Amino acid sequence: DTEVTQTPKHLVMGMTNKKSLKCEQHMGHRAMYWYKQKAKKPPELMFVYSYEKLSINESVPSRFSPECPNSSLLNLHLHALQPEDSALYLCASSTQPGEVRYGYTFGSGTRLTVV
Amino acid sequence: SQQGEEDPQALSIQEGENATMNCSYKTSINNLQWYRQNSGRGLVHLILIRSNEREKHSGRLRVTLDTSKKSSSLLITASRAADTASYFCATTMDSNYQLIWGAGTKLIIKP
């Protein structure tokens, strides 16, 4: 299995809703990432998990809450989002933190719309 | 954070022609990678070139790196309709392994 699976593919949520994005990989990668991407822009790093521990938080608002239950799963919990949070949310993984010889493996993303 | 610039921002060519995209960056790098993104979906890693390499090939892809000019180019030969996508370069530095992304080039291959 050489892929990262993200669910759901599309999500529409109200500003008072609580929802979660899920990401799963079975490649044995020990670094996992959440990115946010707006239209026609490159991805912006949000969080980095290294060996299931949060190692980088790029000053992301607390309405985004990441969780890494085990080495294969990564969640992003969403609460009280704003319309400007609408974007494509991408999960990625790499063999180890700092190991970029093989590039990152990205999921297909969750298209989030906040209404 | 965004370090690189890519040009052109958009490129439209006929199927079968070669497509060249350029990426410039600002600081010393450890390596430079190119990714493809189809229709706002996930990014696919295409090729990585290390700072001590000058040229690398993978199938129809050819990447060059000029560290003195802090620039790289991606050449796609004999383009196909399926190559229509956005292409991003990304660099990593010795001191920080995070990916620093270029702005991207939108490539359209006309049949």
Side-chain angles (χ1 to χ4, degrees), chain A residues 8-60:
Chain A
K9 292 193 184 308
H10 300 274
L11 178 62
V12 179
M13 61 184 290
M15 289 187 284
T16 59
N17 291 160
K18 285 185 181 180
K19 296 286 184 183
S20 296
L21 309 185
K22 295 185 183 301
C23 174
E24 190 168 1
Q25 57 89 13
H26 295 287
M27 295 176 283
H29 288 180
R30 304 312 300 272
M32 296 184 77
Y33 312 82
W34 278 115
Y35 282 88
K36 172 183 177 180
Q37 187 180 26
K38 299 286 248 183
K40 301 182 181 180
K41 296 290 187 182
E44 299 173 41
L45 182 65
M46 300 175 72
F47 301 104
V48 179
Y49 270 83
S50 170
Y51 293 91
E52 295 103 72
K53 287 184 169 40
L54 182 64
S55 61
I56 294 175
N57 176 340
E58 290 285 343
S59 302
V60 179

Side-chain angles (χ1 to χ4, degrees), chain B residues 3-52:
Chain B
Q3 171 185 218
E5 295 293 327
E6 290 186 58
D7 79 272
Q9 288 187 328
L11 179 62
S12 181
I13 61 174
Q14 292 294 139
E15 193 169 20
E17 293 180 340
N18 295 343
T20 300
M21 290 159 273
N22 303 296
C23 168
S24 61
Y25 55 91
K26 297 175 184 174
T27 61
S28 296
I29 62 170
N30 180 279
N31 63 63
L32 186 144
Q33 307 174 41
W34 285 90
Y35 288 81
R36 184 186 74 228
Q37 185 173 38
N38 291 83
S39 302
R41 303 310 293 177
L43 292 106
V44 175
H45 180 254
L46 296 176
I47 194 167
L48 179 150
I49 187 165
R50 297 185 184 285
S51 59
N52 61 355

Side-chain angles (χ1 to χ4, degrees), chain B residues 73-90:
Chain B
S73 67
L74 172 68
L75 168 67
I76 303 175
T77 60
S79 63
R80 304 168 182 169
D83 295 328
T84 293
S86 290
Y87 291 81
F88 292 92
C89 66

